Amino acid sequence: MSRLVVVSNRTADPRKSAAGGLAVAVKESLQQTGGLWFGWSGKIRSETDAAEGSQDLRRQTVGRVTLATLDLDQHDHDTYYLGYANGVLWPVFHYRLDLAKFDVQFAAGYRRVNQLFARKLMPLLKPDDLIWVHDYHLIPLAAELRAMGCTNRIGFFLHIPMPPPPIMAAIPEHEWLMRSLFAYDLVGFQCELDVTHFAAYVESEAQAERLDRNHLRAFNRTLHVAAYPIGIDVDEFVNLANGKEGRETFEAMREEYSRRRLLIGVDRLDYSKGLPQRVHAFRELLAQYPENRNSATLIQIASPSREDVDAYDNLRRQMDSLCGAINGDYGELDWMPVRYIHRNVARKRLPGLYRASRVALVTPLRDGMNLVAKEYIAAQDPADPGMLVLSRFAGAAEQLKEALLVNPYDAQGTAQAIERALTMSQEERVNRHAALLDRIRKQDVHWWCNAFLDALKGTETTAVASP
Ligand code: ADQ
């Protein structure tokens, strides 16, 4: 069995469930194959170390898995991570050209760190290793590895959306970036729309030939592309819901809000998640459907995220002001419409919170997938489930058709859907939930990991060293 080598910007201890989606997903395959997980340590190199020129890998063994991490220089961190990954690729791939800051220094830092990763990873590789690279931080990694002579099978999975060609073309380095993807053997996207956008881009910009739905030929290479919607570990989440903290949280919330209709939102505080638009829609609900006053309560949990990027600071201030205004305008002595919590909630408490809520608002303006939508479904009582209101612009909308799909830019339409969710009959909720649960079980995180790795194993070995 080939050893699995996972490369991502950050690594995590795969034994800890708090490590989140990717760790849960790749843990089994890494354990089975005695795999290697390679990435940035999250630390900045001290100036003394940087001056000495040492850039040592730190290795840690966790069970049968080796974690190999390296520190970054301050300048590399600022240009590669803050500048290019989070200041260019994240906004543009989420269709937010207005928030992108293009700067040649950022692009240079991004390339430099990808070269550094390739240089440090190359000596650790064995000839039949299967390499799986994750996300937008590392798009050119395979091209850099190929330039160093690597002929292993290499797959790439993009966790965020792939924008349509005219938006992609706004990135000054778009040709280089998209061409770099052809150094992989397999490129996986979250949903079919992303595959369509990528194919349209390379057909129009690089005269790629579409051999069939899943094969594109350009730059002397044939690339396998497909959608692999990422899932959650449904059983683990159901167990969490039934665990001590899960039940305690559920009971505490039910008691506290016994006279209220609870709505929940759980997100990183990120402009892609549509949080201000969600608060507007909730305000619209109170305005248009007054029976919800003194009753409907939105708990919005927004965990702090990338606070050193300017756009996030503006969002934070905007949310403080919107939530303050709605509470000021509609609140009563014994009822606050919005409880806005700018913090992380312990993972063990999330299922109880989801289960106590009659409606979940998952309304991103753009999202690669959105795992909160799937977690909410998994946490429900199948005999009396809550209802999911889901943005049509989340990758998850392709799979979760039985949710109430909304356009998050349309506050009135979203308010209408929330009202419908709050008043939906138990029979309809049960039927919709059964279909949703079935789908997230069939395409859970294990399915996702195996489907991607099986496809990667099935691709032809690289014949050409560099595209
Ligand atoms: P994210 O943008 O981080 O991930 P998402 O898919 O929603 O978005 O995953 C977030 C995870 O963090 C969930 O497991 C959620 O429970 C947890 N979380 C979020 N806010 C939290 C809070 N305040 N407290 C505690 N836990 C919280 C990126 C892409 C997504 C894609 C995933 C996986 O942007 O589109 O679905 O990767 O590929």
Side-chain angles (χ1 to χ4, degrees):
M1 196 186 345
S2 297
R3 181 175 74 149
L4 176 63
V5 175
V6 173
V7 191
S8 54
N9 178 53
R10 295 294 304 275
T11 62
D13 183 337
R15 290 169 306 186
K16 296 182 184 157
S17 75
L22 182 59
V24 173
V26 295
K27 148 172 100 177
E28 274 178 15
S29 306
L30 281 173
Q31 293 283 10
Q32 278 165 13
T33 63
L36 170 70
W37 192 348
F38 184 96
W40 171 40
S41 62
K43 298 196 180 100
I44 307 287
R45 261 196 328 160
S46 71
E47 284 185 14
T48 339
D49 282 351
E52 284 169 6
S54 70
Q55 198 133 27
D56 292 335
L57 272 183
R58 206 168 294 124
R59 290 190 212 208
Q60 189 193 346
T61 310
V62 180
R64 294 189 63 213
V65 182
T66 304
L67 298 179
T69 54
L70 49 82
D71 301 347
L72 290 180
D73 289 355
Q74 187 70 52
H75 182 59
D76 282 350
H77 168 263
D78 293 352
T79 50
Y80 149 79
Y81 182 70
L82 296 181
Y84 206 72
N86 289 327
V88 174
L89 298 181
W90 179 272
V92 174
F93 281 42
H94 287 87
Y95 302 41
R96 293 297 304 270
L97 292 178
D98 57 318
L99 296 177
K101 284 193 177 150
F102 302 114
D103 182 329
V104 287
Q105 298 273 352
F106 295 169
Y110 183 71
R111 174 132 204 208
R112 204 167 49 244
V113 171
N114 271 272
Q115 282 168 342
L116 172 71
F117 266 46
R119 224 172 31 247
K120 293 289 176 183
L121 177 61
M122 197 64 191
L124 308 181
L125 294 176
K126 298 177 188 164
D128 66 342
D129 281 348
L130 212 53
I131 307 171
W132 189 0
V133 179
H134 288 264
D135 232 358
Y136 59 103
H137 312 84
L138 299 171
I139 291 172
L141 186 67
E144 298 297 349
L145 286 167
R146 300 278 185 234
M148 294 173 194
C150 175
T151 54
N152 294 58
R153 285 201 177 96
I154 317 180
F156 177 81
F157 185 78
L158 184 68
H159 288 257
I160 64 175
M162 169 60 57
I167 292 190
M168 178 60 74
I171 301 179
E173 303 78 25
H174 65 101
E175 286 171 16
W176 167 69
L177 276 173
M178 293 296 100
R179 183 190 171 108
S180 299
L181 285 174
F182 276 79
Y184 291 95
D185 297 291
L186 170 66
V187 172
F189 296 98
Q190 295 276 26
C191 63
E192 292 297 337
L193 183 66
D194 296 332
V195 177
T196 305
H197 286 162
F198 179 65
Y201 174 92
V202 288
E203 280 173 324
S204 67
E205 298 279 335
Q207 288 72 52
E209 192 188 342
R210 187 126 196 208
L211 304 178
D212 58 42
R213 169 93 198 130
N214 295 111
H215 291 90
L216 290 160
R217 178 131 194 105
F219 312 112
N220 248 342
R221 300 255 308 154
T222 300
L223 178 65
H224 185 175
V225 291
Y228 301 95
I230 194 169
I232 61 163
D233 187 334
V234 176
D235 291 330
E236 181 232 34
F237 215 76
V238 170
N239 287 343
L240 271 187
N242 296 328
K244 184 169 169 286
E245 278 102 333
R247 277 182 291 121
E248 275 173 10
T249 309
F250 172 74
E251 276 151 24
M253 297 305 289
R254 269 285 155 100
E255 198 179 303
E256 167 96 20
Y257 292 96
S258 57
R259 293 185 302 118
R260 312 282 183 222
R261 301 157 127 189
L262 207 55
L263 297 96
I264 185 85
V266 175
D267 309 77
R268 276 187 307 102
L269 186 64
D270 190 286
Y271 49 78
S272 64
K273 304 292 181 185
L275 297 172
Q277 289 79 357
R278 188 180 303 169
V279 177
H280 277 305
F282 184 66
R283 190 182 176 103
E284 197 62 28
L285 176 86
L286 300 179
Q288 299 297 325
Y289 305 94
E291 62 274 24
N292 288 303
R293 293 183 203 166
N294 238 317
S295 166
T297 305
L298 169 63
I299 298 188
Q300 176 60 57
I301 297 165
S303 55
S305 176
R306 302 176 195 163
E307 293 186 309
D308 31 15
V309 178
D310 288 348
Y312 291 79
D313 204 35
N314 296 340
L315 177 62
R316 185 178 175 172
R317 271 184 270 123
Q318 200 183 355
M319 281 299 284
D320 286 347
S321 134
L322 283 170
C323 294
I326 197 171
N327 283 340
D329 293 344
Y330 286 94
E332 300 283 348
L333 282 176
D334 61 349
W335 171 68
M336 280 295 155
V338 180
R339 281 187 66 187
Y340 170 54
I341 301 163
H342 183 48
R343 231 173 302 128
N344 242 315
V345 167
R347 190 160 176 78
K348 286 182 175 168
R349 301 215 166 264
L350 276 180
L353 203 53
Y354 289 144
R355 201 175 175 124
S357 307
R358 290 179 64 164
V359 172
L361 301 183
V362 180
T363 53
L365 305 179
R366 253 329 128 181
D367 218 330
M369 176 55 53
N370 196 298
L371 296 179
V372 171
K374 296 184 175 182
E375 290 170 355
Y376 180 74
I377 296 164
Q380 297 309 300
D381 172 2
D384 187 15
M387 195 59 212
L388 173 65
V389 173
L390 177 64
S391 163
R392 57 176 295 171
F393 303 126
E398 269 187 18
Q399 289 176 296
L400 306 181
K401 296 274 186 236
E402 291 81 5
L404 292 182
L405 296 187
V406 296
N407 167 6
Y409 294 96
D410 173 8
Q412 285 163 354
T414 305
Q416 225 169 45
I418 299 174
E419 174 67 6
R420 189 168 162 218
L422 284 168
T423 53
M424 190 178 280
S425 73
Q426 185 166 354
E427 189 188 354
E428 186 174 353
R429 281 186 285 115
V430 166
N431 290 338
R432 285 176 182 262
H433 176 260
L436 291 167
L437 186 61
D438 186 50
R439 195 130 341 103
I440 64 164
R441 265 196 190 288
K442 282 192 178 126
Q443 296 191 326
D444 70 356
V445 76
H446 307 295
W447 168 87
W448 172 76
C449 190
N450 293 333
F452 186 93
L453 290 176
D454 285 350
L456 182 58
K457 285 175 204 154
T459 55
E460 285 182 20
T461 325
T462 302
V464 186
S466 182

